[in-house]
Amino acid sequence: MSKKLLNLSIPVISVLLGLIAGAIIMLVSGYDPIAGYSAMLQGIFGESYYVGESIRQITPYILSGLAVAFAFRTGLFNIGVEGQLIVGWFASVWVGLAFDLPKVIHLPLALLAGALAGALWAFIPGLLKARFRVHEVIVTIMLNYTALHLTNYLIANVLTDKKDQTDPIHNSASLSSGFLQGITDFSRLHWGIVIAIICAIVMWFILEKTTTGFELKAVGFNQHASEYAGMSVNRNIIMSMVISGAFAGLAGSMEGLGTFGYAAIKNGFTGVGFDGIAVALLGGNTAIGVVLAAMLFGGLKTGALNMPLAANVPNEIVDIVIALIIFFVASSYFIRLIINRFSKKGVK
């Protein structure tokens, strides 16, 4: 089997193994796996409303997956996508509330604010990594909690007197679409999916078609060789984290300007940023892979909501399935070994 075909087969096999393992768990727990998965599929494709909600869920997953994948491709581990998403959400809603401008100006300005907030939040671990070699995993994890509590304070004391959530943003800053909602039976689908796809194309173009992308990847592969070749290692480390954070901030903008239209005090993390790690791993840290993985995870998350209603199966089963898929992706070495052995036997 060719290397390219082998690399493509790993995620597919991982998904199949995860679904099979999930079916076994349902069976052992006394649930009907066929009914469970049928209900899940019904919750994804059964009605236009479900389709709209699935696409809506896919949107922030694409952007959070791109954020993680971009950092991975350049040798960095951005575990702070969740925090960058939260500050991006806050910043975009703040701009959506603070100004009353024509939509052609207001919406791009709010999106830019979200991207800049996420980029700035990622700049901190990037700078510490570049200047002092502080490991980005530690800093980004701590900044997740800082982002959560800081934005909660600002929402409660600066943006609103209600103490729990802000007023709705102005329509001129909203991503919502009456057309998209109308064709999906009034789901929360919005134009953010278009922005997410554009961002995937942007990531592919930067990494595969530009000198900057080549340098970013080179620094990720070998910092000493890159420095010897005349590349600025510190500058590329910071740039990588800033671009990654911008994607994460836009993921927050999708929630603040599209799905909800406001910012609220959060009792915990949204989970979207952490799920982005799984999306990036399953997608092989490539732009097209992230989009496909986000489609899978977004569909699973949305379809799971129908499982307790239609099949009396706990929707937490889907979380187990996702965890198992990631486990099998992480165990790709063994999958490769088994495939290669079978391939050699087939040749004989």
Side-chain angles (χ1 to χ4, degrees), residues 85-121:
L85 180 151
I86 290 173
V87 297
W89 186 335
F90 171 83
S92 60
V93 168
W94 178 77
V95 171
L97 289 169
F99 304 99
D100 192 4
L101 302 167
K103 193 178 187 72
V104 69
I105 299 175
H106 201 182
L107 179 56
L109 186 64
L111 291 170
L112 181 61
L116 287 176
L120 179 62
W121 209 250

Side-chain angles (χ1 to χ4, degrees), residues 104-172:
V104 69
I105 299 175
H106 201 182
L107 179 56
L109 186 64
L111 291 170
L112 181 61
L116 287 176
L120 179 62
W121 209 250
F123 171 79
I124 300 171
L127 179 64
L128 292 174
K129 171 78 170 183
R131 295 296 299 274
F132 306 107
R133 293 300 181 260
V134 179
H135 205 292
E136 70 275 10
V137 170
I138 298 173
V139 180
T140 51
I141 288 175
M142 292 191 296
L143 283 175
N144 284 336
Y145 291 93
T146 306
L148 176 65
H149 296 298
L150 176 61
T151 54
N152 279 348
Y153 173 82
L154 292 174
I155 290 169
N157 295 279
V158 177
L159 290 191
T160 180
D161 295 328
K162 298 178 181 178
K163 303 302 181 185
D164 55 353
Q165 71 179 47
T166 68
D167 293 327
I169 59 172
H170 297 302
N171 288 332
S172 56

